[in-house]
Amino acid sequence: MTISQQPTFDTFKGLFNEAEFVYRHLGSNDSKQAELLSSIGYSDMDSFIDDTVPEPVRLHKDLDLPLAMSEHAALAKLRTMADKITVNKSYIGQGYSPVRMPAVIQRNVLENPGWYTAYTPYQAEIAQGRLEALLNFQQVCIDLTGLELAGASLLDEATAAAEAMAMSKRVSKSKSDKYFVDERIYPQTLDVIRTRAKYFGWEVVVGDFELAKSGDYFGAIFQYVGKEGDVKDLTEVISAVKENKTYTSVVSDIMSLVLLKSPAEMGADIALGSTQRFGIPMGFGGPHAAYFAFSDKAKRSAPGRIIGVSKDAQDNVALRMALQTREQHIRREKANSNICTSQVLLANLAGMYAVYHGPTGVKRIATRIHAFATAFADIINNSSDSNDSLSVVHEQFFDTVVIDCGSEKMATQIFENADNVGYNLWRINETKLAVAFSETSDEEDFKVLTQLFVSKSHSLPETATVSLDDAHLRKDDILTHPVFNSHHTEHEMLRYLKSLEDKDLAMNRSMISLGSCTMKLNATSEMLPITWPEFANIHPFAPRDQVGGYIEMIASLQDQLKAITGFDEISMQPNSGASGEYAGLLAIRRYHESLGETNRDVCLIPMSAHGTNPATAMMMGMQVVVVKTDGNGNVDIDDLTAKCEEHSERLGALMITYPSTHGVFEEGIRHICDLIHKHGGQVYMDGANMNAQVGVMQPADVGADVLHMNLHKTFCIPHGGGGPGMGPIGMQAHLAPFIANHTISPVFNAQNDYSAVSAAPYGSASILPISWMYIAMMGRDGLLKATELALLNANYVADQLKDDYPVLYAGKNGRVAHECIIDIRPLKEETGITESDIAKRLMDYGFHAPTMSFPVAGTLMIEPTESESKEEIDRFISALKAIKAEAMKAKAEEDGWTLENNPLKNAPHTAAVITSSEWDYPYSRDIAAFPLPYIRNNKFWPSVGRVDDVYGDKNLMCSCPSIENYM
């Protein structure tokens, strides 16, 4: 650009450039967009959108949102909300504790796009870093629970308990439909268990140990450290219930297990809980990684994901997601859970906390927490001179001391005095207060707390006492693997984290074009607020007068989402897309029940819908009826009509993805919704493909009754290597009364009678500022531009690739939506090259593969998003074209290539393979490693060769291998 071509500014509006972020988020500026449009035959964006988005669904008005804000202005506005949050010192407990995240982990994992922008490790060869981190997490859980296997995390403690209930029913040999719940369990956990149990048709029985022993139950769940902090040995009650064929689960505070004997030693079949105490901020409820451990014999019935050890093509140790066929969204109606995401980023943080501190460090922290509680209880017990009405309720505790104050007046006075000096206690009832000590407790806290209760400030005693009975304490060693005993200096930890990061392909290296996953820019300004103390360090059950700014931010985000979707109400509780699906169907079922139509239990699901949909419907006790799709990927209206009529009396819902999973805007969506309503059903719209909707249409306007929104897709919360996610739901007014509430901390827009779907009232609240920032900085017009460019980029990809790979589905004018599916089956039939071969070869070109074999086997689904530049998209297209040429060269057997020995079949090529003294391939090392010129400037080396999944499943190992295996 010459000086004469550079713009001049003659208005202050131009000088301030409040919409600057919009053009930083979009990959292509106006001139590049013009090039993209021209290449597919359009002169302007309006005519392209007219051909792409069907007129019947178009939104011919502006979104009711403000214009774009600059990054600094949006941060300043969010800061005004944060300033309305009071960060008291939290001694509430109840499953959430203040922590100290090690700074080296915060800076180099939580705040590092190399970790937080990665996708789920479906392509294991370029995900070895986070797979190793997850294996570490599993090893922590195995060590502390004593069980043989552990998963790679679940969403939160309460939903993990609900999953344990469902797994118990699958595994138990009891014919009973009753499930026992320990009366000592946290109320929020019981709330979610009751929600889940109702639609499975199971009875929840809550009681003491004697009731557990005397009843006939398919499963039982016990809380190791109870809601009042009491520690009870569960050995005898577990033994007794197991004699009745009852499958047993134990909920355990992960930090307490550093000192307490393991659930496995007490006979538990499942152990679960939250790993929040391992360095994860409370965040007003999340996100936090739940752990879930179980016996080896039950591994094929466990929910979620398991990371396993296998080998690669060169016989080196290689990690991957084990038991791949257990992926729930692939199993559809045969799934035993609807879990599609876990909490990978949070699990990695918790695992690294254990790596950094090691066994000595975590034992020091756990012992300090307990010693604080013991010293405090001793002061209360010895306080008869100053206040003989106080008494410590439980003799055996880990971190929580419950004090009976003798009178309601005394309890109220102490509770209010604590609040006045900046401390939050937990009020159990009229006379009882709980004080839960944590990793952040210090001597000054001890002085204040003792003065609050006994009117005299006490210093910590010189001796740190463990008051737990010896019978409760663990005798076995924990965290003995070298990984937990090697990285305790900051240099060592920093280099370990960097070594793992370098093994992974994330969005800070290249585009990730996964269809239906919307891997777009997660801007730094969006991420900054999540570590502000006001958002990070708040207990989800903190008094409402302390969290006004948090509620204001959530309400503001709800208003933004209402304006975007057209719905009347938004529920922020679901903490994943699958959780949103569940909450949406739950609202529909509750609605039908309110009308006395409990028989409406048929759920119609098109073949083009997301795979989690059938699993969710099954969990809601519904009968799944599959609806056909036509040759263009649209719902077969004739088949839908026939099934509506067949099931009219029982029709509860239609679950439909729009645009469809086939990447098509269906012309008949309004007719489809009208048809369902005519037969008494409700329309659930899956929002996974919402990035094609914002500003051009509204789901509420076309007839959807409820929709979940993947904030980790359309609204920029990063995927984190497989989580966290958020899946709030939007609802029409008639469904609004039926959203999930919360038993402890009522949701401000929910009815009293309805139970929860996750542990915290607003799900993973601490990541909501990310989406708030995105919407505020994009503004009304920027959001529309993002959708238009997402559609344009996908159509450009389809157009450029159509001569090499057939595009499987398209709309009436030959246009796709925000993603396209290319068909690999003809190439496979001609050459034997599979979609998996292409996925592995793309690694050599520096790219993560598109979504493979979903929703159609033998295909690749590509979604470029609006954030990728034309140059990056062209590099990706050139890679796929070159791969097609390689396949044809192998077919022709040119230069010694064969269909069995070529760069695709041998991909990916590691640095070790390329530099080996032996080279037995009929192509050069250059072709293997640098097949196109651009790669030399930014080469990414896969750290292992092609992983052998079959070997891994036949030789399942899901704990850390010995260090020799890596040598």
Side-chain angles (χ1 to χ4, degrees), residues 683-951:
V683 177
Y684 170 90
M685 187 175 283
D686 187 308
N689 292 347
M690 198 180 169
N691 209 48
Q693 293 185 13
V694 180
V696 300
M697 62 161 286
Q698 287 184 319
D701 176 62
V702 301
D705 297 291
V706 60
L707 163 121
H708 89 260
M709 292 155 267
N710 296 99
L711 300 189
H712 50 287
K713 296 183 182 184
T714 306
F715 299 103
C716 290
I717 292 175
H719 281 68
M726 272 292 280
I729 56 173
M731 291 159 291
Q732 301 278 17
H734 65 280
L735 291 181
F738 307 104
I739 65 172
N741 204 341
H742 197 273
T743 187
I744 291 178
S745 183
V747 175
F748 61 83
N749 55 354
Q751 304 297 313
N752 292 332
D753 298 334
Y754 293 111
S755 54
V757 296
S758 65
Y762 302 106
S764 297
S766 70
I767 55 176
L768 296 179
I770 301 170
S771 296
W772 186 94
M773 284 289 295
Y774 170 68
I775 297 170
M777 292 188 297
M778 292 296 285
R780 180 193 72 195
D781 299 337
L783 291 169
L784 175 60
K785 289 179 183 293
T787 303
E788 290 173 340
L789 186 53
L791 296 171
L792 177 57
N793 283 346
N795 278 276
Y796 175 72
V797 169
D799 188 77
Q800 293 293 304
L801 291 177
K802 65 184 179 184
D803 292 337
D804 295 282
Y805 304 94
V807 176
L808 197 55
Y809 300 112
K812 184 173 68 174
N813 299 313
R815 302 268 67 96
V816 298
H818 65 312
E819 60 193 10
C820 64
I821 299 175
I822 58 173
D823 195 351
I824 310 303
R825 291 171 296 185
L827 182 66
K828 179 179 179 180
E829 187 174 342
E830 185 177 2
T831 66
I833 296 299
T834 68
E835 67 280 5
S836 182
D837 295 328
I838 295 173
K840 305 310 177 188
R841 182 58 171 156
L842 273 169
M843 298 175 191
D844 291 330
Y845 285 80
F847 285 108
H848 193 294
T851 302
M852 190 173 70
S853 287
F854 178 81
V856 180
T859 66
L860 295 173
M861 183 162 59
I862 303 167
E863 182 182 355
T865 85
E866 73 274 12
S867 292
E868 298 302 338
S869 68
K870 182 177 183 297
E871 290 77 12
E872 180 75 355
I873 294 171
D874 282 339
R875 280 191 287 272
F876 176 73
I877 290 168
S878 69
L880 282 174
K881 285 178 172 289
I883 286 171
K884 172 67 179 294
E886 289 176 342
M888 300 315 293
K889 183 173 180 177
K891 180 198 173 189
E893 299 190 342
E894 295 178 18
D895 299 332
W897 292 26
T898 68
L899 291 177
E900 292 74 36
N901 192 355
N902 59 67
L904 284 85
K905 288 295 184 184
N906 297 323
H909 299 83
T910 64
V913 167
I914 296 297
T915 58
S916 171
S917 59
E918 298 179 5
W919 186 261
D920 299 327
Y921 304 118
Y923 49 89
S924 70
R925 299 173 198 257
D926 255 18
I927 287 174
F930 306 105
L932 288 175
Y934 75 81
I935 300 170
R936 290 188 180 276
N937 296 325
N938 188 31
K939 177 62 181 175
F940 175 78
W941 292 100
S943 54
V944 297
R946 194 172 301 201
V947 176
D948 189 335
D949 288 325
V950 174
Y951 175 87

Side-chain angles (χ1 to χ4, degrees), residues 491-517:
H491 256 136
E492 290 166 338
M493 190 67 184
L494 185 67
R495 289 166 181 163
Y496 179 58
L497 293 173
K498 181 62 175 172
S499 71
L500 297 189
E501 180 194 347
D502 286 347
K503 295 178 181 180
D504 287 12
L505 188 68
M507 288 185 68
N508 61 341
R509 290 185 180 270
S510 63
M511 73 182 288
I512 298 180
S513 63
L514 284 148
S516 192
C517 299

